Amino acid sequence: MRIELKSKLLFLTLIPSLMIVLLSINKIVHEFGHKKDLERTRQHIFEVKTISDIVHFMQIERGLSTGFVARNSDAEDLLLLKARKDLDAALKDLELIRYLQKDIDLKFSEGIKSTREGVDTLYLSASEVKNYYTYKIATLLDFAGIIPAMMELSQQ
């Protein structure tokens, strides 16, 4: 039983070509998996950056608000207003993250609003203002501490 030369050549080219196609498909599927992991990592990095910005602006607002209340000032403080504006912008970024990813449940806007009203009316003491912001900052830092674990879980 002799196989023709044409059939031999077809067999010798078809099998390696088929293997190359299968290995290429496997590599492409593997790379798409990496792309999804990188996208999730990018989202977590955006979370951490946003939380970092909020912590930074909350620290500034904490200091300025505490000083405002301690001075018993009823005049508008331009630095305090700018700090509030910066914090509001960072909180909008957090709201965007919460909209995109349903796993984040950090409620800050309502508490900050009522605390600001207490500062503006001088209803709160300086220590109460400082303690409120310190507690919220600690909560954010605790949440930021679990993000690396969340990243690791999402990649498995």
Coordinates of all heavy atoms in Angstrom, one line a residue, residues 37-84:
D37 N -7.8 40.7 33.5 CA -7.2 40.8 34.8 C -6.6 42.2 34.9 O -6.7 42.9 36.0 CB -6.1 39.8 35.1 CG -6.6 38.4 35.3 OD1 -7.8 38.3 35.6 OD2 -5.9 37.4 35.2
L38 N -5.9 42.7 33.9 CA -5.3 44.0 33.9 C -6.4 45.1 34.0 O -6.2 46.1 34.7 CB -4.5 44.3 32.6 CG -3.2 43.5 32.6 CD1 -2.5 43.6 31.2 CD2 -2.2 43.9 33.7
E39 N -7.5 44.9 33.4 CA -8.6 45.9 33.4 C -9.2 45.9 34.9 O -9.4 47.0 35.4 CB -9.8 45.5 32.5 CG -10.9 46.4 32.5 CD -10.6 47.8 32.1 OE1 -9.6 48.0 31.2 OE2 -11.2 48.8 32.5
R40 N -9.3 44.8 35.5 CA -9.8 44.8 36.9 C -8.7 45.5 37.8 O -9.1 46.2 38.7 CB -10.0 43.4 37.4 CG -11.4 42.9 37.0 CD -11.7 41.5 37.6 NE -12.0 40.6 36.5 CZ -11.4 39.5 36.3 NH1 -10.4 39.1 37.1 NH2 -11.7 38.8 35.2
T41 N -7.5 45.2 37.6 CA -6.4 45.9 38.3 C -6.5 47.4 38.2 O -6.3 48.1 39.1 CB -5.0 45.3 37.9 OG1 -5.0 43.9 38.1 CG2 -3.9 45.9 38.7
R42 N -6.7 47.8 36.9 CA -6.8 49.3 36.7 C -8.0 49.9 37.5 O -7.9 50.9 38.0 CB -7.0 49.5 35.2 CG -6.9 51.0 34.8 CD -7.1 51.2 33.3 NE -8.4 50.9 32.8 CZ -9.5 51.8 32.9 NH1 -9.3 52.9 33.5 NH2 -10.6 51.5 32.4
Q43 N -9.1 49.2 37.5 CA -10.2 49.7 38.3 C -9.9 49.8 39.8 O -10.3 50.7 40.4 CB -11.4 48.7 38.1 CG -12.0 48.8 36.7 CD -13.1 47.8 36.5 OE1 -13.3 46.8 37.3 NE2 -13.8 47.9 35.4
H44 N -9.2 48.8 40.3 CA -8.8 48.8 41.7 C -7.8 49.9 42.0 O -7.9 50.6 43.0 CB -8.2 47.5 42.2 CG -9.3 46.4 42.3 ND1 -10.3 46.5 43.1 CD2 -9.4 45.2 41.7 CE1 -11.1 45.4 43.0 NE2 -10.5 44.6 42.1
I45 N -6.9 50.2 41.1 CA -6.0 51.3 41.2 C -6.7 52.6 41.2 O -6.4 53.5 42.0 CB -4.9 51.3 40.1 CG1 -4.0 50.1 40.3 CG2 -4.1 52.6 40.0 CD1 -3.0 49.8 39.2
F46 N -7.8 52.8 40.4 CA -8.6 54.0 40.4 C -9.3 54.1 41.7 O -9.4 55.2 42.2 CB -9.6 53.9 39.2 CG -10.4 55.1 39.1 CD1 -9.8 56.4 38.7 CD2 -11.8 55.1 39.3 CE1 -10.6 57.5 38.6 CE2 -12.6 56.2 39.2 CZ -12.0 57.4 38.8
E47 N -9.8 53.0 42.3 CA -10.4 53.0 43.6 C -9.5 53.6 44.6 O -9.8 54.5 45.4 CB -10.8 51.6 44.0 CG -12.0 51.1 43.4 CD -12.3 49.6 43.8 OE1 -11.7 49.2 44.9 OE2 -13.0 48.9 43.2
V48 N -8.3 53.0 44.7 CA -7.3 53.4 45.7 C -6.9 54.9 45.5 O -6.8 55.6 46.5 CB -6.0 52.5 45.6 CG1 -4.9 53.1 46.5 CG2 -6.4 51.1 46.0
K49 N -6.7 55.3 44.2 CA -6.4 56.7 44.0 C -7.5 57.7 44.5 O -7.3 58.7 45.1 CB -6.1 57.0 42.5 CG -5.7 58.4 42.2 CD -5.8 58.8 40.8 CE -5.5 60.2 40.5 NZ -6.2 61.2 41.3
T50 N -8.7 57.3 44.2 CA -9.9 58.1 44.6 C -10.0 58.1 46.1 O -10.2 59.2 46.7 CB -11.2 57.5 44.0 OG1 -11.1 57.5 42.6 CG2 -12.4 58.3 44.4
I51 N -9.8 57.0 46.8 CA -9.8 57.0 48.2 C -8.7 57.8 48.8 O -8.9 58.5 49.8 CB -9.8 55.5 48.7 CG1 -11.1 54.8 48.4 CG2 -9.5 55.4 50.2 CD1 -11.2 53.4 48.7
S52 N -7.5 57.7 48.2 CA -6.4 58.5 48.6 C -6.7 60.0 48.5 O -6.4 60.8 49.4 CB -5.2 58.2 47.8 OG -4.1 59.1 48.1
D53 N -7.3 60.4 47.4 CA -7.7 61.8 47.3 C -8.7 62.2 48.3 O -8.6 63.3 48.9 CB -8.3 62.1 45.9 CG -7.3 62.0 44.8 OD1 -6.1 62.0 45.1 OD2 -7.7 61.9 43.6
I54 N -9.7 61.4 48.6 CA -10.7 61.7 49.6 C -10.1 61.8 51.0 O -10.4 62.8 51.7 CB -11.8 60.6 49.6 CG1 -12.6 60.7 48.3 CG2 -12.7 60.8 50.8 CD1 -13.6 59.6 48.1
V55 N -9.2 60.9 51.3 CA -8.5 61.0 52.6 C -7.7 62.3 52.7 O -7.8 63.0 53.7 CB -7.6 59.8 52.8 CG1 -6.6 60.0 54.0 CG2 -8.4 58.5 53.0
H56 N -7.0 62.6 51.6 CA -6.2 63.9 51.6 C -7.1 65.1 51.9 O -6.8 65.9 52.7 CB -5.4 64.0 50.3 CG -4.7 65.3 50.1 ND1 -3.5 65.5 50.8 CD2 -4.9 66.3 49.4 CE1 -3.1 66.7 50.5 NE2 -3.9 67.2 49.6
F57 N -8.2 65.2 51.1 CA -9.0 66.4 51.2 C -9.8 66.4 52.5 O -10.1 67.4 53.1 CB -10.0 66.5 50.0 CG -9.3 66.7 48.7 CD1 -9.5 65.9 47.6 CD2 -8.3 67.7 48.6 CE1 -8.8 66.2 46.4 CE2 -7.7 68.0 47.4 CZ -7.9 67.2 46.3
M58 N -10.1 65.2 53.1 CA -10.8 65.1 54.4 C -9.8 65.6 55.5 O -10.3 66.3 56.4 CB -11.3 63.7 54.7 CG -12.6 63.4 53.9 SD -13.2 61.8 54.4 CE -14.2 62.3 55.8
Q59 N -8.6 65.3 55.3 CA -7.6 65.8 56.3 C -7.5 67.3 56.3 O -7.4 67.9 57.3 CB -6.2 65.1 56.1 CG -6.2 63.6 56.4 CD -4.9 63.0 56.0 OE1 -4.2 63.4 55.1 NE2 -4.5 61.9 56.7
I60 N -7.5 67.8 55.1 CA -7.4 69.3 55.0 C -8.7 69.9 55.6 O -8.6 70.9 56.4 CB -7.2 69.7 53.5 CG1 -5.8 69.3 53.0 CG2 -7.4 71.2 53.3 CD1 -5.6 69.4 51.5
E61 N -9.8 69.4 55.2 CA -11.1 69.9 55.7 C -11.2 69.7 57.2 O -11.7 70.6 57.9 CB -12.3 69.3 55.0 CG -13.6 69.9 55.3 CD -14.7 69.5 54.5 OE1 -14.5 69.1 53.3 OE2 -15.9 69.5 55.0
R62 N -10.7 68.6 57.7 CA -10.7 68.4 59.2 C -9.9 69.5 59.9 O -10.4 70.1 60.8 CB -10.1 67.0 59.5 CG -10.0 66.8 61.0 CD -9.3 65.5 61.3 NE -8.0 65.4 60.7 CZ -7.2 64.3 60.7 NH1 -7.7 63.2 61.3 NH2 -6.0 64.3 60.2
G63 N -8.7 69.8 59.4 CA -7.9 70.8 60.0 C -8.6 72.2 59.9 O -8.6 72.9 60.9
L64 N -9.1 72.5 58.8 CA -9.7 73.8 58.6 C -11.0 74.0 59.3 O -11.2 75.0 59.9 CB -9.9 74.1 57.1 CG -8.6 74.3 56.3 CD1 -8.9 74.3 54.8 CD2 -7.8 75.5 56.7
S65 N -11.8 72.9 59.3 CA -13.0 73.0 60.1 C -12.8 73.1 61.6 O -13.5 73.8 62.3 CB -13.9 71.7 59.8 OG -14.3 71.7 58.4
T66 N -11.9 72.3 62.1 CA -11.6 72.3 63.5 C -11.1 73.7 63.9 O -11.5 74.3 64.9 CB -10.5 71.3 63.9 OG1 -11.0 70.0 63.4 CG2 -10.2 71.3 65.3
G67 N -10.2 74.3 63.1 CA -9.8 75.7 63.3 C -10.9 76.7 63.3 O -11.0 77.6 64.1
F68 N -11.8 76.5 62.3 CA -12.9 77.4 62.1 C -13.8 77.4 63.4 O -14.2 78.4 63.9 CB -13.7 77.0 60.9 CG -14.9 77.9 60.6 CD1 -14.7 79.1 59.9 CD2 -16.2 77.5 61.0 CE1 -15.8 79.9 59.6 CE2 -17.3 78.3 60.7 CZ -17.1 79.5 60.0
V69 N -14.1 76.2 63.9 CA -15.0 76.0 65.1 C -14.2 76.5 66.3 O -14.8 77.2 67.2 CB -15.4 74.6 65.2 CG1 -16.1 74.4 66.6 CG2 -16.3 74.2 64.1
A70 N -12.9 76.3 66.4 CA -12.2 76.7 67.6 C -12.1 78.2 67.7 O -12.1 78.8 68.8 CB -10.8 76.1 67.5
R71 N -12.1 78.9 66.5 CA -12.0 80.3 66.5 C -13.4 81.0 66.7 O -13.5 82.2 66.9 CB -11.5 80.9 65.2 CG -10.0 80.6 64.9 CD -9.5 81.4 63.7 NE -10.4 81.2 62.5 CZ -10.2 80.3 61.6 NH1 -9.2 79.5 61.6 NH2 -11.1 80.3 60.5
N72 N -14.4 80.1 66.7 CA -15.8 80.6 66.8 C -16.1 81.7 65.7 O -16.7 82.8 66.0 CB -16.2 81.2 68.2 CG -16.4 80.1 69.1 OD1 -16.9 79.0 68.7 ND2 -16.1 80.3 70.4
S73 N -15.6 81.5 64.6 CA -15.7 82.5 63.5 C -17.0 82.3 62.7 O -17.4 81.2 62.4 CB -14.5 82.3 62.5 OG -14.6 83.2 61.5
D74 N -17.6 83.4 62.4 CA -18.8 83.3 61.6 C -18.5 83.9 60.2 O -19.4 84.0 59.4 CB -20.0 84.0 62.3 CG -19.7 85.4 62.7 OD1 -18.6 85.9 62.6 OD2 -20.7 86.1 63.1
A75 N -17.3 84.3 59.9 CA -16.9 84.8 58.6 C -16.6 83.6 57.7 O -16.1 82.6 58.2 CB -15.7 85.8 58.7
E76 N -16.8 83.8 56.4 CA -16.5 82.7 55.5 C -15.0 82.5 55.4 O -14.3 83.5 55.3 CB -17.1 83.0 54.1 CG -18.6 82.7 54.1 CD -19.1 82.8 52.6 OE1 -18.3 82.8 51.7 OE2 -20.3 82.7 52.5
D77 N -14.6 81.3 55.4 CA -13.2 81.0 55.3 C -13.0 80.4 53.9 O -13.5 79.4 53.5 CB -12.8 79.9 56.3 CG -11.3 79.6 56.4 OD1 -10.6 80.1 55.4 OD2 -10.8 79.0 57.3
L78 N -12.2 81.2 53.1 CA -12.0 80.8 51.7 C -11.3 79.5 51.5 O -11.6 78.7 50.6 CB -11.3 81.9 50.9 CG -12.1 83.2 50.8 CD1 -11.2 84.3 50.1 CD2 -13.4 83.0 50.1
L79 N -10.3 79.2 52.4 CA -9.6 78.0 52.3 C -10.5 76.8 52.7 O -10.4 75.7 52.0 CB -8.4 78.0 53.3 CG -7.2 78.9 52.9 CD1 -6.2 78.9 54.0 CD2 -6.6 78.4 51.6
L80 N -11.4 77.0 53.6 CA -12.4 75.9 54.0 C -13.3 75.7 52.8 O -13.6 74.5 52.5 CB -13.1 76.3 55.2 CG -14.2 75.3 55.7 CD1 -13.5 74.0 56.0 CD2 -14.8 75.9 57.0
L81 N -13.8 76.7 52.2 CA -14.7 76.5 51.0 C -14.0 75.8 49.9 O -14.6 74.9 49.2 CB -15.2 77.9 50.5 CG -16.1 78.7 51.5 CD1 -16.5 80.0 50.9 CD2 -17.4 77.8 51.8
K82 N -12.7 76.1 49.6 CA -11.9 75.4 48.6 C -11.7 73.9 49.0 O -11.9 73.1 48.1 CB -10.6 76.1 48.4 CG -9.8 75.4 47.2 CD -8.4 76.0 47.1 CE -7.6 75.4 46.0 NZ -7.7 73.9 45.8
A83 N -11.4 73.7 50.2 CA -11.3 72.3 50.7 C -12.6 71.5 50.5 O -12.5 70.4 50.1 CB -10.8 72.3 52.1
R84 N -13.7 72.1 50.8 CA -15.0 71.5 50.7 C -15.3 71.2 49.2 O -15.7 70.1 48.9 CB -16.1 72.3 51.2 CG -16.1 72.4 52.7 CD -17.2 73.2 53.3 NE -17.2 73.2 54.7 CZ -18.1 73.9 55.5 NH1 -19.0 74.7 54.9 NH2 -18.1 73.8 56.8

